[in-house]
Structure formats: C-alpha cells, structure tokens
Amino acid sequence: MKNWIIFILILFIYNTTKAQDSCSTSCDNLKHGIQFQIRSLSLMNFNSYTLAYRYLFSNNSGLRIGILTRINDEELDMVQKEDSVNYNTPSTTKYYNLKLSVQYIKSILNFEKFTLIAGIGPFIGYTETEYSHNRVYSDYQRISKESRKGFNYGIDLLLGTEYRLHKNVLLSGEYGISFLFEKLEIESLNRQASKDGETIANYNETGKSNKLNIDGIGVALGISIFF
C-alpha cells in the first residue's frame, strides 16, 4: 500500500507541474536539483548516498555531489555469571563511513526527449571500524580488541540516459564502473588474564592494508527535480 501511495504522489507532482502555464522562475535558469532513486515504486537514497545534489551549468552539463554518512557507535554493558560470581563483560562496536563524491555529467547525444549522458568524477572517503569484546571462560578471561581505519579515494565512470518528463523533472537510468584505492591501519590486541585480572599473555598485531578494487556500479533508476 505504501508503494502505491508514493507512486500516486509522484504522478500528482508531475500532473500539477504540467498544468502550470508558466514558471515562477525562468525555466531556462533552473540549476538546483535533488535526486532520488526509484526501486519497486519506492523512493530511495540515490546510490545509497545520504544526499545527492545536482547543479546544472546549462541544459547539457552539470555536477552531481554525493554525501554519504554512516555512523554507528554502540556500547554494551553486560554481566556474565560464572559459578554464582558476576563478571563485567562489556563490549563496544564503532563503525564510521564518510564519503564525498563529485561527478561531472554531460549530455552527448539527444533524440527528442531522450539524452545519452556520460559522467566522470573523483571521490574520497574515510572508514573506521573498531570493536572490543570481553569473555569469561572456566579458568580465564579473554579481552579482544581490533581496529581498522584509513582513507580511500578513487574515480567513477558513468554512462546512462535521461528522459525529460517535464521542464524541471528528469528520469534517468545509469550504470558504470568504479576504481577504488584504500589504505588502512590495522591494530589488534588479544589479552588473556586470570579471573582476578592478572595478565597471563598478550598478543599484539599491527599492520597495513593496501587495496585496489575495480567494480561495476549497479544500475540505478532515478528521478531529479530542479528548481
């Protein structure tokens, strides 16, 4: 039912816009737009970005700026009972993923209301994953910690088509390929201790991860509305 409500809302916006005889702002000066992704008659964040903003230089070229924010910070204050004795076994999980992309999009071929578009643009991101875990066993306890953090950067190549549904509404379908380079700092600690907290053994590891990833960008059906 929710999907049909969204679909009807899109049609209502389209018909209302089409019924207007003139633009309160000159239609030739429309530059600012917000883009959404359509999936199963539902509006989604375009390509999983928190915000996808479009700016037009002209009718044939413009920019798309994508901002991604995913932050999860969780702490669990747990108590483990062993032989009628309570032990604190806290755990933490942290996950940060931030990304900024800028893509230049240009129309290269036109046929009536259809346009073939191509795009290219860089992105940069920061990722950090950290967890700690405490577990009590029959005759000892183990504390485990690990963190991975670093930057990634790369470039996206895009190809797609747009259909001008109305003067300020564009439907688009696109896919492409992404080149990603990532460098991470890795640290891990495993500490084994007696139940009263006295250290039995420590195992520490540090290192670096360098990754190159070339992957296809999935097909995205979107709608852009300009003002």
Side-chain angles (χ1 to χ4, degrees), residues 26 49 72 102 109 130 132 161 181 227:
S26 176
Y49 286 110
N72 180 47
V102 179
L109 290 174
E130 181 179 329
S132 64
T161 184
F181 305 89
F227 300 92

Side-chain angles (χ1 to χ4, degrees), residues 42-212:
S42 297
L43 293 182
M44 311 288 293
N45 296 63
F46 190 81
N47 273 344
S48 298
Y49 286 110
T50 305
L51 172 66
Y53 166 76
R54 293 191 62 176
Y55 179 82
L56 295 179
F57 297 129
S58 66
N59 289 333
N60 296 320
S61 65
L63 291 179
R64 177 167 62 209
I65 300 175
I67 300 174
L68 172 68
T69 56
R70 291 178 180 170
I71 299 175
N72 180 47
D73 195 336
E74 181 180 12
E75 295 185 5
L76 295 178
D77 188 10
M78 305 295 291
V79 176
Q80 182 180 344
K81 189 172 183 179
E82 182 78 20
D83 295 332
S84 301
V85 179
N86 293 331
Y87 297 92
N88 289 327
T89 55
S91 65
T92 61
T93 302
K94 296 181 180 180
Y95 176 73
Y96 304 124
N97 187 8
L98 307 174
K99 180 181 178 182
L100 172 66
S101 75
V102 179
Q103 299 163 349
Y104 175 72
I105 300 176
K106 183 175 178 59
S107 303
I108 54 178
L109 290 174
N110 294 281
F111 175 72
E112 295 183 351
K113 292 185 177 182
F114 290 92
T115 301
L116 180 65
I117 60 172
I120 185 172
F123 63 85
I124 185 172
Y126 174 78
T127 181
E128 180 176 345
T129 304
E130 181 179 329
Y131 80 87
S132 64
H133 184 69
N134 191 342
R135 184 70 179 175
V136 176
Y137 298 92
S138 59
D139 55 353
Y140 69 96
Q141 58 178 324
R142 173 172 292 173
I143 299 95
S144 301
K145 296 181 180 180
E146 182 175 323
S147 69
R148 294 171 174 256
K149 56 185 176 182
F151 288 90
N152 58 74
Y153 58 93
I155 191 168
D156 293 323
L157 301 177
L158 307 171
L159 185 67
T161 184
E162 288 184 333
Y163 175 78
R164 185 168 294 278
L165 188 62
H166 195 59
K167 295 178 181 179
N168 68 324
V169 181
L170 293 177
L171 291 178
S172 64
E174 63 184 64
Y175 53 83
I177 189 169
S178 180
F179 299 83
L180 177 142
F181 305 89
E182 184 177 61
K183 293 185 176 182
L184 297 178
E185 299 284 341
I186 303 172
E187 295 182 5
S188 65
L189 165 66
N190 286 281
R191 176 173 172 261
Q192 190 172 318
S194 61
K195 287 190 174 182
D196 59 8
E198 183 179 353
T199 299
I200 299 175
N202 278 327
Y203 306 94
N204 299 326
E205 290 182 329
T206 59
K208 296 181 179 180
S209 171
N210 297 306
K211 181 172 71 172
L212 166 63

